[in-house]
């Protein structure tokens, strides 16, 4: 009799657990190395802003699931099957932040897309399929590069910056004005958002204003920009004006979280 009573209690608890709705909403992040998960072993300093986004929200209600990966474009993220894995996880009411551009600009055929054409089509696919799975898409344009150079350095692959040292960096003259490097790739996500009535966060404007406000020297503190001997994990130094360090990723994540809450006010209740 006692064992039967215990069984009924356990069965009731399991039934109640199954009936209790999941209180958490997931914010998925898809994108490139500026948002991506990084290897933090050995004191490595590089971080994506997506790694820091969870710190901005109450984890009892908002769970950030960051799928952004180094070197990916709106094209390669689909072609490699990474988008299918995200789609399989989306539940109604979840959000998907979509941010590409840095690698769509690059010439390699496996990554390259054209703004106003294939780039826009890929972004539209992400928006449409997110909605088909009950999710809420949020388009963001690419974050700004730290580019104060009078003449913009030629860069066919941001991923090469990880293997560079301080002496490999650009030795050109810098001015006081941030120069855009994204062109129409900066504009296309807003066009797609407008045409599809989708949420949009102008991450490029937000980070451009941040870089410009900090200026030529202050903005280096956001990035993987170290003099030789300054940072133990980068003994030969580095001049990487694309990727963020720990401090930079935190600052950018906080600014984008604020903008996300402005765009979607219901998320403000969970902003830390």
């Amino acid at each position: 009799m006692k064992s039967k009573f215990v069984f009924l209690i356990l069965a009731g608890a399991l039934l109640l657990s199954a009936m209790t709705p999941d209180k958490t909403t997931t914010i998925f992040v898809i994108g490139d190395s500026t948002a991506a998960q990084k290897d933090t072993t050995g004191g490595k300093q590089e971080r994506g802003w997506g790694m820091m986004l969870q710190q901005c929200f109450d984890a009892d209600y908002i769970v950030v699931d960051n799928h952004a990966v180094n070197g990916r474009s709106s094209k390669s993220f689909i072609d490699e099957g990474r988008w299918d894995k995200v789609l399989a996880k989306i539940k109604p009411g979840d959000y998907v932040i979509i941010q590409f551009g840095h690698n769509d600009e690059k010439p390699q055929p496996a990554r390259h897309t054209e703004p106003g054409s294939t780039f826009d089509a890929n972004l539209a696919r992400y928006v449409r399929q997110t909605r088909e799975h009950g999710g809420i898409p949020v388009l963001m344009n690419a974050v700004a590069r730290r580019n104060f150079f009078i003449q913009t350095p030629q860069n066919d692959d941001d991923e090469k910056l990880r293997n560079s040292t301080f002496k490999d960096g650009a030795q050109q003259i810098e001015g006081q004005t941030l120069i855009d490097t994204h062109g129409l790739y900066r504009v296309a996500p807003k066009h797609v958002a407008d045409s599809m009535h989708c949420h949009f966060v102008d991450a490029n404007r937000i980070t451009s204003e941040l870089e410009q406000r900090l200026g030529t020297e202050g903005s280096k503190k956001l990035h993987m920009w170290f003099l030789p001997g300054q940072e133990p994990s980068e003994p030969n130094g580095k001049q990487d004006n694309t990727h963020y360090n720990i401090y930079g990723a935190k600052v950018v994540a906080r600014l984008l979280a604020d903008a996300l809450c402005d765009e979607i006010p219901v998320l403000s209740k969970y902003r830390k």
Side-chain angles (χ1 to χ4, degrees), residues 5-24:
F5 180 70
V6 171
F7 173 78
L8 289 173
I9 290 177
L10 290 173
L14 288 171
L15 180 62
L16 182 63
S17 175
M19 294 174 61
T20 302
D22 184 356
K23 293 191 300 182
T24 62

Side-chain angles (χ1 to χ4, degrees), residues 166-185:
F166 186 86
K167 65 181 179 60
D168 298 320
Q171 306 300 321
Q172 299 175 348
I173 298 173
E174 291 187 311
Q176 298 300 313
T177 302
L178 188 76
I179 307 298
D180 173 59
T181 64
H182 295 301
L184 293 177
Y185 292 92

Side-chain angles (χ1 to χ4, degrees), residues 51-69:
M51 296 175 72
M52 306 300 188
L53 192 61
Q54 184 66 75
Q55 299 176 14
C56 301
F57 291 97
D58 186 340
D60 289 337
Y61 299 96
I62 300 292
V63 174
V64 175
D65 191 358
N66 185 14
H67 288 257
V69 181

Side-chain angles (χ1 to χ4, degrees), residues 27 30 35 51 91 196 199 215 221 224 234 246 258 262:
I27 298 178
I30 64 172
M51 296 175 72
K91 64 183 186 297
M196 300 187 74
H199 291 295
K221 296 178 181 179
M224 293 295 291
E234 300 287 350
I246 297 172
D258 288 342
D262 288 342

